[in-house]
Amino acid sequence: MAVVTVKLVKEDFLGDFYFKKDLAAFARKLDSEGNYRVCGIIDIPGLEGEDAAEEMFDLTNNPSREDEREEMYGNYRSVSVGDIVNVDGSDWLCCSQGWWKI
């Protein structure tokens, strides 16, 4: 079972992730400056690493999973580019195409 922690970047910085060359360094800098907030700690059985991060993305973005999302995650915004999903101690940065381990 993976323990997944969702860290949402402050909305002021969401658009910046489309224009930075070194996204991982930018995300680490923002994280160290307190520009992320923890919005959920969820157990996801049977998945690990990038697969668990992708499951969290689907849970928060898939309209057919709205009831499940509210029960597990609450009313936080969906996981988007620039957000970090920590899976068992490893940070995964949500990118415009997939995930980068940071």
Side-chain angles (χ1 to χ4, degrees):
M1 178 175 301
V3 176
V4 175
T5 304
V6 177
K7 299 187 322 185
L8 300 178
V9 70
K10 289 183 180 175
E11 292 181 10
D12 296 348
F13 298 103
L14 281 173
D16 294 342
F17 281 90
Y18 291 95
F19 304 106
K20 299 292 181 188
K21 289 186 180 185
D22 189 348
L23 295 179
F26 184 60
R28 282 192 291 270
K29 178 180 182 291
L30 289 179
D31 194 19
S32 71
E33 294 173 349
N35 290 303
Y36 282 85
R37 64 183 174 138
V38 173
C39 295
I41 300 174
I42 299 165
D43 293 329
I44 298 180
L47 298 174
E48 57 187 46
E50 186 175 356
D51 292 334
E54 186 63 29
E55 171 64 13
M56 196 66 231
F57 182 89
D58 187 68
L59 176 68
T60 65
N61 283 279
N62 186 335
S64 70
R65 298 180 73 181
E66 187 173 339
D67 292 339
E68 182 184 7
R69 169 194 172 145
E70 287 182 16
E71 181 180 323
M72 293 176 68
Y73 183 67
N75 291 321
Y76 296 110
R77 70 166 172 79
S78 60
V79 173
S80 300
V81 172
D83 294 331
I84 295 173
V85 175
N86 181 286
V87 180
D88 293 329
S90 295
D91 284 337
W92 292 88
L93 177 64
C94 184
C95 299
S96 60
Q97 294 182 350
W99 298 89
W100 285 1
K101 189 173 182 180
I102 58 173

